[in-house]
Amino acid sequence: MAEKRIGVCNLCEAICGLELTIEGREVIGVRGNDADPLSRGHICPKGVAIADVYADPDRLKRPVRRVHGGWEEIGWDEAFDLVADNLARVINEHGDDALGVYLGNPNAHSLGSMTHGTAMFKSFRTKNRYSATSVDQLPHQLVAHLMFGHQLFLPIPDIDRTSWFLVIGANPMASNGSLMTVPDFPNRARELKARGGRMVVLDPRRTETAKIADEHHFVRPGTDAWVLLAMLHVLVTEGCPEVASYVDGLATVVDLVADFTPERAEAMSGLPAEEIRRLTRELVAADAGVVYSRIGVSAGPWGTVCQWAVNCLNVLSGNLDRAGGAMFTSPAIDAVGTGLIGRGHHYAWRSRVRGLPETAGELPVSALREEIETPGEGQVRAMLTVAGNPVLSTPDGSRLDGALRGLDFMAAVDIYVNETTRHADVILPPTTALERDHYDLVFHLLAVRDTARFTPAVFEKDADQRHDWQIFREITLRTTARLERKAPLKKRLVQRARLTASPTFLITQLLRRGSSGVTMKKLRARPAGIDLGPLRGGQLPARLPSKGKRLDLAPALVVADVARLAAVDVPTGDELLLIGRRHKQDCNSWMHNSERLTRGRPRHQLLMNPDDLAHRDLADGALVRVTSRIGSVEVEVAASDDLMPGVVSLPHGYGHAREGVLMTRSREVPGVSINDLTDPELLDVSGNAALNGVPVAVTPA
Ligand SMILES: Nc1nc2c(c(=O)[nH]1)N[C@H]1C(S)=C(S)[C@@H](COP(=O)(O)OP(=O)(O)OC[C@H]3O[C@@H](n4cnc5c(=O)[nH]c(N)nc54)[C@H](O)[C@@H]3O)O[C@H]1N2
Ligand SMILES: Nc1nc2c(c(=O)[nH]1)N[C@H]1C(S)=C(S)[C@@H](COP(=O)(O)OP(=O)(O)OC[C@H]3O[C@@H](n4cnc5c(=O)[nH]c(N)nc54)[C@H](O)[C@@H]3O)O[C@H]1N2
Ligand code: SF4
Ligand SMILES: [Mo]
């Protein structure tokens, strides 16, 4: 007998509500849940494929240990002891920093990771903590910390009410939005137009989003900072705005942007000066306008300056904290206001080898390889990775791959033997989305509308499966028990109590502490979700997390980096610049095992402007060699006039055909890893990798 169940998709930040049809232990249908107040019935091809993860025969369900020539299933107890023995041994022999940890993207999409994973990582006192943050949104977090006082107090574009929307380095038509939880972007963009609003896109590629926008302009990769500073320049010279009494630093901003003229921005970026002036005037004149930028910019050489400039534009055009502008959410569980997530800090310590700064307790992942390979005190000798694939996801992945082989010990909490976890001695696989309860602690915080939703597990887990929170609990308790240098008893007892409570219990408690009126009982009665309404304006300065409730427009770190930017000359080289790409049917490095997402026309090619091909006597479809300072790959090229001349694009998350990867279908998916070309030396001031705008040469293979 088929039954309907409500589920949730955790594959991207859009957190769509699902309606599943199940028969016994099988999913026979997946559609969007029309009753969901946030996602309104939206679903994308990946949402349907969530059933493929659940049913994938390659997915691990029980722990495995590496033995000569393969893997052997072992019991949970043995697996936990093996991990705890080895982690504790390395820490006892070589110190706390000898353990390295890497947290991948799906951690943000798992409740158990947010509640119990964070507790586990705190219990390890290592400075060698890394995550996907530093190949992604680190500049956003650093800037929010510096300007507003909290790394996750992030302004969200109020897309449902704005009349002028500037999108820079983001492709929500493919990505479904990021640091802007916006399920159903296509319809929301359509509604924006229907009410007379405009959407403008700046991107070196005419993307799916650019194609539905009112206007698209090419910008040379890595040069957005000049454009944004020129917009600020225009804004403050054509009638300097007044700012609210809680805002500091306007005079410094005016000084900083004085020499960043639109003409200079044109020379750097290719975007005409007159267009920069017009766009700025449109932003200022709009009933409600908002500037939004994402990974094309944050994972670039000037990510921090850019995110800062975006915030300044929203503040100085009067659009921060007002309807239709850049707004702050009021989630039922306010992980920022309650201090559940810390404010963040920067430069509290540096990486051992290159002296790169930590942010909020993490070092840039671009430093991980050298921290494993460079001998000396504090060298990383054991790794624990959780839901991550840094071999494909981080710069110079192939060399990191080699470094992982040299570790004394590696454990992974992951559901696949992928390019990274194949190096583990033990893999501990947790349950996945359909088998666990979910409440979104992260993405309600970043959503374009305030809603709350609790989704109980669709399927009960098998008796011999474990949830990730149970895995984190066991690793923590067993490892800390074996450490020679123990935390104080009181701390350990608190830790034990916290780890023993289930995530669902913790959420129930946290809801009680909030003032939204949402309770677990109400959420269970309305599984589609509870609507708390559009984002609320006029919340500042009361909700500013900074001490003294001030907003700092001119943090010293940014001021210094703008000075560095001012000294950069117009580039003269004729190298091509490599940028990344996302497709609707891809999910970072890991959904390529799904047949329904990978059949059809291949999409792994290097995209290149036809003129650039002609200059090099290359034919569309030819096999080419792409070479950067770091390495070279061979891949088919496809002509596309959607690419700005001088720019080439490869998707990330490809290149699975490596020895030992146990993902049957993925291994047959053609393509190479873009991160065999990206450079760990190319960094933003925050330490975020500059993955976009990497100089490359393209020659016949
Ligand atoms: N050049 C270039 N590189 C990039 C990017 C780019 O745009 N260009 N984008 C960057 C960005 S934004 C990100 S976020 C990173 C992503 O990089 P990572 O976070 O390192 O990797 P993912 O591809 O997300 O891999 C996630 C892994 O988690 C496992 N997994 C899936 N679900 C679960 C679960 O519920 N629990 C556990 N324990 N494991 C699970 C999967 O098997 C997979 O191996 O890549 C970055 N790399
Ligand atoms: N389908 C799908 N959805 C996803 C993911 C996925 O892998 N697949 N990953 C999820 C994750 S982890 C994240 S972080 C988000 C990211 O969400 P988005 O930021 O929307 O991601 P992208 O589609 O990579 O968009 C980046 C855009 O920046 C452009 N770009 C590159 N370099 C530059 C530059 O120098 N300047 C400018 N102005 N633009 C530039 C690229 O051409 C691209 O269009 O997507 C999430 N959603
Ligand atoms: S947009 Fe697609 S992948 Fe993202 S949450 Fe919705 S269904 Fe899942
Ligand atoms: Mo990401």
Side-chain angles (χ1 to χ4, degrees), residues 352-677:
R352 180 178 61 108
V353 178
R354 236 194 299 171
L356 297 177
E358 67 77 40
T359 308
E362 289 182 11
L363 289 168
V365 71
S366 292
L368 176 56
R369 198 263 319 146
E370 70 220 21
E371 294 297 334
I372 297 174
E373 287 184 340
T374 312
E377 205 183 311
Q379 178 183 9
V380 172
R381 293 162 188 270
M383 279 295 298
L384 172 64
T385 68
V386 181
N389 194 2
V391 167
L392 291 194
S393 314
T394 69
D396 203 2
S398 275
R399 276 183 80 196
L400 176 63
D401 198 21
L404 295 177
R405 282 176 211 277
L407 288 167
D408 285 4
F409 181 77
M410 174 169 160
V413 180
D414 205 293
I415 52 175
Y416 287 110
V417 181
N418 67 19
E419 296 73 12
T420 300
T421 61
R422 69 191 163 128
H423 298 301
D425 296 284
V426 193
I427 306 177
L428 306 157
T431 52
T432 55
L434 300 183
E435 304 156 310
R436 62 193 186 205
D437 295 353
H438 189 64
Y439 179 92
D440 220 300
L441 274 175
V442 177
F443 298 106
H444 285 315
L445 204 65
L446 306 174
V448 298
R449 189 176 180 89
D450 288 323
T451 62
R453 182 184 57 203
F454 175 77
T455 315
V458 174
F459 296 110
E460 217 176 290
K461 69 174 179 62
D462 299 342
D464 61 354
Q465 280 185 285
R466 294 288 179 277
H467 295 302
D468 54 6
W469 64 273
Q470 296 171 315
I471 297 175
F472 300 138
R473 180 188 64 199
E474 290 307 311
I475 295 180
T476 313
L477 297 180
R478 294 188 197 209
T479 306
T480 49
R482 287 162 166 83
L483 293 181
E484 279 158 14
R485 196 164 73 82
K486 289 203 174 26
L489 180 66
K490 197 170 151 211
K491 214 170 164 184
R492 277 183 286 146
L493 290 174
V494 171
Q495 182 190 60
R496 176 176 286 269
R498 204 181 143 189
L499 286 166
T500 305
S502 73
T504 303
F505 176 81
L506 293 172
I507 290 299
T508 310
Q509 300 295 321
L510 285 166
L511 284 166
R512 273 194 202 133
R513 270 202 248 155
S515 56
S516 66
V518 174
T519 60
M520 184 55 84
K521 197 168 162 204
K522 287 185 188 166
L523 287 174
R524 284 193 189 269
R526 309 241 312 259
I530 294 177
D531 190 13
L532 301 171
L535 302 185
R536 276 176 264 158
Q539 302 203 70
L540 302 191
R543 281 199 54 212
L544 274 174
S546 61
K547 294 191 183 101
K549 303 207 178 295
R550 309 294 301 171
L551 191 165
D552 186 3
L553 281 182
L557 179 141
V558 177
V559 172
D561 216 39
V562 173
R564 197 168 62 96
L565 184 79
V568 176
D569 269 339
V570 179
T572 49
D574 60 352
E575 277 160 317
L576 293 161
L577 297 177
L578 174 68
I579 61 169
R581 176 165 98 237
R582 282 181 162 73
H583 304 116
K584 226 183 191 160
Q585 308 91 326
D586 291 333
C587 184
N588 293 327
S589 76
W590 71 280
M591 288 292 287
H592 289 145
N593 229 31
S594 161
E595 213 237 298
R596 78 181 95 204
L597 293 181
T598 48
R599 66 183 163 218
R601 270 202 298 159
R603 50 178 186 265
H604 63 282
Q605 297 93 334
L606 180 80
L607 299 185
M608 189 167 180
N609 185 282
D611 289 345
D612 287 327
L613 277 172
H615 280 148
R616 287 166 183 76
D617 279 331
L618 293 168
D620 181 22
L623 191 68
V624 296
R625 173 169 288 273
V626 191
T627 308
S628 72
R629 187 186 80 84
I630 289 303
S632 79
V633 298
E634 285 187 7
V635 65
E636 291 81 22
V637 69
S640 165
D641 52 21
D642 289 336
L643 264 281
M644 183 179 187
V647 180
V648 290
S649 147
L650 272 178
H652 82 284
Y654 283 70
H656 305 289
R658 298 178 193 221
E659 185 200 330
V661 173
L662 295 184
M663 300 173 80
T664 316
R665 175 130 191 129
S666 302
R667 285 183 49 93
E668 283 159 22
V669 172
V672 294
S673 175
I674 187 176
N675 288 318
D676 288 344
L677 298 169

Side-chain angles (χ1 to χ4, degrees), residues 22 45 88 95 102 147 160 182 186 206 243 248 271 274 293 302 348 352 418 517 526 589 605 655 693:
I22 63 169
Y102 175 84
M147 295 180 80
D160 291 341
V182 59
R206 193 177 302 110
V243 290
D248 298 320
L271 179 60
E274 267 325 295
S293 91
W302 303 97
R352 180 178 61 108
N418 67 19
R526 309 241 312 259
S589 76
Q605 297 93 334

Side-chain angles (χ1 to χ4, degrees), residues 9-16 18 42-48 176:
C9 179
N10 71 334
L11 294 175
C12 88
E13 299 179 36
I15 61 172
C16 296
L18 305 178
H42 181 256
I43 188 167
C44 82
K46 286 184 304 196
V48 181
N176 297 292

Side-chain angles (χ1 to χ4, degrees), residues 133-398:
T133 291
S134 51
V135 279
D136 188 349
Q137 81 287 357
L138 178 57
H140 294 259
Q141 288 183 222
L142 178 59
V143 163
H145 164 69
L146 296 173
M147 295 180 80
F148 308 123
H150 194 292
Q151 56 172 333
L152 282 183
F153 194 65
L154 297 169
I156 308 301
D158 184 17
I159 184 173
D160 291 341
R161 287 178 293 180
T162 196
S163 58
W164 196 86
F165 187 26
L166 177 59
V167 176
I168 310 176
N171 185 13
M173 284 298 281
S175 70
N176 297 292
S178 180
L179 302 187
M180 168 174 70
T181 284
V182 59
D184 201 10
F185 181 83
N187 272 315
R188 289 181 143 105
R190 217 167 285 145
E191 288 162 11
L192 163 70
K193 281 193 186 177
R195 54 176 195 268
R198 287 173 68 74
M199 179 162 79
V200 181
V201 173
L202 306 184
D203 199 300
R205 181 178 146 238
R206 193 177 302 110
T207 59
E208 296 81 351
T209 307
K211 285 176 185 168
I212 63 146
D214 298 277
E215 235 181 282
H216 163 246
H217 302 274
F218 285 137
V219 205
R220 195 172 294 134
T223 66
D224 305 85
W226 284 271
V227 174
L228 289 160
L229 288 168
M231 288 182 74
L232 279 171
H233 172 99
V234 174
L235 201 152
V236 302
T237 47
E238 293 192 352
C240 193
E242 283 181 24
V243 290
S245 58
Y246 57 84
V247 177
D248 298 320
L250 176 59
T252 311
V253 176
V254 172
D255 274 356
L256 274 181
V257 301
D259 296 332
F260 285 90
T261 60
E263 283 67 26
R264 180 144 175 234
E266 175 175 341
M268 296 303 292
S269 69
L271 179 60
E274 267 325 295
E275 297 290 353
I276 295 174
R277 290 202 170 83
R278 180 181 56 82
L279 291 174
T280 313
R281 289 170 194 146
E282 284 185 16
L283 167 66
V284 172
D287 288 340
V290 61
V291 184
Y292 163 71
S293 91
R294 224 8 224 111
I295 196 170
V297 172
S298 61
W302 303 97
T304 296
V305 168
C306 288
Q307 299 314 329
W308 163 79
V310 164
N311 284 345
C312 286
L313 282 168
N314 286 328
V315 172
L316 297 182
S317 62
N319 284 302
L320 189 78
D321 191 32
R322 80 155 174 185
M327 304 187 73
F328 297 98
T329 57
S330 312
I333 297 178
D334 179 7
V336 167
T338 55
L340 202 64
I341 300 174
R343 297 163 176 278
H345 39 77
H346 183 64
Y347 247 127
W349 63 84
R350 297 157 178 246
S351 70
R352 180 178 61 108
V353 178
R354 236 194 299 171
L356 297 177
E358 67 77 40
T359 308
E362 289 182 11
L363 289 168
V365 71
S366 292
L368 176 56
R369 198 263 319 146
E370 70 220 21
E371 294 297 334
I372 297 174
E373 287 184 340
T374 312
E377 205 183 311
Q379 178 183 9
V380 172
R381 293 162 188 270
M383 279 295 298
L384 172 64
T385 68
V386 181
N389 194 2
V391 167
L392 291 194
S393 314
T394 69
D396 203 2
S398 275

